[in-house]
Amino acid sequence: MNPTSLADRKALLLSLVIIILLILLCGGMSAYLVSDPTMGQAYALMRAAQTIDTRHIDGTTSEQLVRTARNEMLDLLDRYSGYVTAEEFDQLREEMTGAYAGLGVSVIRHDLGLLIVSVRRDGPAREAGLEAGDIILAADSIELAGLRSAKSTKLLRGEDSTRVLVRVLKPLSQDTIEVSITRAEMPLIHVSYAGFTSDSAIYIRLTNFDAGASEQLKAAIDSLLEQSTFQPTGLILDLRGNPGGLFREAWESANLFLTEGAFVVGTDARSRWNSNEIHALGPDITGDLPLVLLVDRGSASSSEILAGALQQADRAWLVGDTTFGKGLVQGFVTFPDGDGLRLTISRFYFDNDVYINEFDTALSEIGHGLPPDYLFDFPERGEYVRAVEYSLLLHQFARLHQQDIVSSRGDDQATSALIDSLESFMNLEGFVFVSSRREELSDMLHAARSDSCTKATDRVISEALELSVREDSNLLRLNAAYLTMRLQEIAWEQTYGTYRTYHEITVPQRADIRYAESLLRDLLIDNR
């Protein structure tokens, strides 16, 4: 037989075998697609989108249809699960690497855009003349009013050395300016202050749990313990308003205060890969110093992991208000195009099977939170103080009287004059505070009179309303100590920066810090 002919026959036979295998494989896949309910439903959805795209009179595209179906699908899940675009993943990577390129400002949402809360002294925003209390109205001609905080912040951030044109409102002068600022890469600040109180207690302000938070916390504690020439009375860790961050940073922070083998946190989930128990590796780097954690309604997620772990281990007292109540853990899945999903994959729990979120997490996505061991009523949570802060009048007044405020610290007579001056300024600016109680009584009186109520009923409601009006008018004096401290914080921040403001004003004057000091002092006396 001709060798070439034999080779041709072998090649033909091999080709036939491959064709038969492909037919069987495709037939098997088709049978799988038909038999698998999930694949069948996905195919039906795709077919419906294509049919609507080609035949519906309004000409809706299949892309729009799929996006709508995707959003409706995610709406069935808890609020923490959602679709993540490639751009949003970039911001998440910043949090996971511990650095970002931006302007060097801390901002919160405002009706007009983004209110600048603080400005980093080493950041480009300060060099451009931006100050705390300014409002960023637009970034690169995009209006920020009404945008979500994450989207607004993303417009301010970008690649290192790139420029962004911002339009800024200066509330004090009511001027609106435009300034081009060059973004700069800056490390994330997790510990905004670390130092000693007048009672020789360590005080540390931890603002988030992004990448590097536990490392900065450990470095702060090590530095203070090493430089102190005395035995600290304890440690006050301030987690007020700390929204959380990375799960790993939370349990690594808890590990700093626990001995080897102590239970830190556990997770349970549908997948065994997401179910785990984490125990401390030890040692307690503080040498078992008494520990107080300041928490409030804004202490969430990773803050609750740290607080719950230490509370259940009888390692720390929680002082303040009940925490937010987020006992869920999110994971991320990325797709080839760069987009992906953020999904709630597990719940975390503490020793003794203490959960923040119960089992019906889809229905109860906000849990009951962690109750404090010692309840403390934070003045800034009050309705009146929040209204004054939001009006920006404190920032305007503090700038007008910056030097007088800085020099008035500790002078009771000057402080009283300062409050008188603040009251006159607020009146001139047309600030009027109406409490929710006063609004309810006013509505009640209107409704009662509309229904032709009796004179007795009218008198009772009217008297209650008059009392509420008098109470509202006294709120400035009742909050004088806190408002004075806030004016000093703002003025000192502008004059001397964050560290000195904490050292000279915040730590000595905040009532919650002084209360935590007293708890540590009482414990020290009891143990003598």
Side-chain angles (χ1 to χ4, degrees):
M1 180 179 289
N2 189 322
T4 304
S5 176
L6 180 61
D8 290 342
R9 291 178 63 186
K10 286 183 177 180
L12 177 62
L13 181 61
L14 180 61
S15 298
L16 289 172
V17 170
I18 292 174
I19 291 170
I20 293 170
L21 287 173
L22 287 171
I23 292 172
L24 291 174
L25 179 62
C26 292
M29 290 180 65
S30 299
Y32 172 72
L33 288 173
V34 172
S35 62
D36 183 78
T38 303
M39 296 300 294
Q41 291 161 6
Y43 175 69
L45 177 62
M46 180 185 67
R47 185 173 58 185
Q50 290 175 338
T51 303
I52 295 171
D53 184 17
T54 57
R55 302 186 64 178
H56 191 265
I57 189 172
D58 289 338
T60 305
T61 66
S62 57
E63 181 183 356
Q64 291 173 315
L65 294 167
V66 171
R67 188 186 304 116
T68 301
R70 180 193 74 198
N71 293 338
E72 289 293 327
M73 177 172 59
L74 291 170
D75 282 345
L76 296 174
L77 307 180
D78 62 279
R79 71 166 69 184
Y80 308 114
S81 298
Y83 196 82
V84 183
T85 65
E87 292 78 12
E88 290 170 328
F89 265 123
D90 289 339
Q91 187 169 338
L92 287 169
R93 291 186 187 96
E94 291 174 359
E95 297 173 0
M96 294 178 183
T97 57
Y100 73 100
L103 309 186
V105 293
S106 297
V107 295
I108 59 174
R109 284 184 62 183
H110 188 274
D111 288 345
L112 300 178
L114 293 175
L115 170 64
I116 298 178
V117 178
S118 63
V119 182
R120 287 179 60 158
R121 298 184 77 82
D122 60 345
R126 187 176 183 87
E127 294 180 8
L130 269 59
E131 301 173 293
D134 291 348
I135 302 174
I136 303 176
L137 305 175
D140 287 335
S141 301
I142 299 176
E143 300 293 330
L144 302 184
L147 293 183
R148 292 184 297 112
S149 294
K151 189 170 184 178
S152 300
T153 303
K154 184 168 70 69
L155 293 171
L156 301 182
R157 294 183 178 183
E159 294 184 8
D160 187 26
S161 300
T162 59
R163 300 184 72 82
V164 58
L165 180 67
V166 295
R167 189 166 79 252
V168 179
L169 171 65
K170 295 281 190 177
L172 181 59
S173 62
Q174 288 300 306
D175 291 334
T176 299
I177 63 171
E178 282 194 339
V179 57
S180 181
I181 305 177
T182 302
R183 299 180 178 96
E185 186 166 318
M186 292 167 287
L188 292 172
I189 295 177
H190 315 289
V191 175
S192 55
Y193 177 80
F196 289 98
T197 71
S198 58
D199 261 11
S200 302
I202 293 173
Y203 169 82
I204 297 176
R205 179 79 166 110
L206 186 65
T207 57
N208 61 68
F209 285 90
D210 294 335
S214 59
E215 185 178 346
Q216 281 192 20
L217 178 59
K218 181 179 185 301
I221 296 171
D222 286 342
S223 176
L224 291 171
L225 290 176
E226 183 177 335
Q227 75 181 40
S228 65
T229 57
F230 51 84
Q231 175 64 22
T233 58
L235 192 153
I236 302 168
L237 183 58
D238 194 341
L239 299 177
R240 291 175 300 111
N242 186 321
L246 302 179
F247 180 77
R248 181 183 183 88
E249 293 294 336
W251 61 258
E252 286 191 344
S253 296
N255 185 66
L256 301 176
F257 306 100
L258 296 170
T259 56
E260 183 178 357
F263 188 91
V264 179
V265 66
T267 59
D268 63 18
R270 290 175 60 185
S271 167
R272 64 187 179 89
W273 300 107
N274 295 322
S275 298
N276 195 16
E277 286 191 355
I278 298 170
H279 294 264
L281 300 177
D284 178 349
I285 67 168
T286 72
D288 201 32
L289 274 181
L291 182 60
V292 170
L293 270 56
L294 296 177
V295 295
D296 63 9
R297 288 288 182 183
S299 306
S301 188
S302 295
S303 290
E304 293 174 292
I305 292 175
L306 174 57
L310 298 182
Q311 185 185 49
Q312 284 300 309
D314 292 327
R315 180 64 186 88
W317 290 324
L318 303 190
V319 172
D321 202 351
T322 301
T323 60
F324 179 79
K326 182 179 180 290
L328 307 176
V329 182
Q330 281 69 52
F332 296 90
V333 178
T334 55
F335 301 143
D337 64 353
D339 290 358
L341 294 176
R342 179 181 63 251
L343 292 176
T344 297
I345 57 175
S346 62
R347 297 179 306 142
F348 62 77
Y349 60 92
F350 306 113
D351 205 7
N352 304 313
D353 289 333
V354 173
Y355 287 83
I356 290 178
N357 287 77
E358 302 302 333
F359 289 94
D360 56 344
T361 54
L363 300 176
S364 302
E365 55 197 27
I366 297 180
H368 47 68
L370 297 169
D373 298 293
Y374 296 91
L375 185 65
F376 188 89
D377 187 15
F378 296 108
E380 62 266 36
R381 305 292 294 181
E383 193 178 14
Y384 176 78
V385 172
R386 284 188 285 115
V388 174
E389 288 275 14
Y390 193 76
S391 72
L392 303 182
L393 293 177
L394 291 180
H395 285 84
Q396 295 177 38
F397 183 83
R399 288 186 196 173
L400 284 170
H401 304 275
Q402 184 170 328
Q403 292 305 316
D404 290 339
I405 293 172
V406 169
S407 61
S408 69
R409 183 169 64 101
D411 187 332
D412 293 339
Q413 187 174 355
T415 297
S416 179
L418 190 66
I419 291 297
D420 290 340
S421 182
L422 174 64
E423 184 175 30
S424 299
F425 175 77
M426 293 170 66
N427 290 335
L428 286 173
E429 292 294 321
F431 178 80
V432 177
F433 174 73
V434 180
S435 64
S436 56
R437 172 181 169 80
R438 182 171 160 188
E439 285 183 341
E440 291 170 0
L441 288 169
S442 182
D443 291 341
M444 188 185 300
L445 182 60
H446 178 75
R449 288 175 175 174
S450 298
D451 291 340
S452 301
C453 66
T454 64
K455 290 182 178 180
T457 300
D458 188 299
R459 185 176 63 256
V460 169
I461 301 175
S462 296
E463 290 175 353
L465 180 57
E466 290 174 7
L467 177 61
S468 181
V469 171
R470 289 197 298 272
E471 289 176 346
D472 286 357
S473 65
N474 290 329
L475 286 172
L476 186 143
R477 300 291 166 178
L478 290 174
N479 290 279
Y482 178 80
L483 293 175
T484 300
M485 183 200 71
R486 282 294 295 128
L487 288 173
Q488 291 175 344
E489 284 182 326
I490 296 167
W492 276 69
E493 173 77 28
Q494 291 293 320
T495 307
Y496 300 114
T498 301
Y499 183 87
R500 190 167 174 185
T501 301
Y502 265 97
H503 182 70
E504 300 286 346
I505 303 298
T506 305
V507 175
Q509 293 191 34
R510 275 199 66 96
D512 51 343
I513 298 175
R514 295 204 306 270
Y515 180 68
E517 281 184 291
S518 70
L519 289 176
L520 294 174
R521 186 167 56 247
D522 292 345
L523 180 65
L524 182 65
I525 294 173
D526 291 342
N527 290 338
R528 282 178 177 171

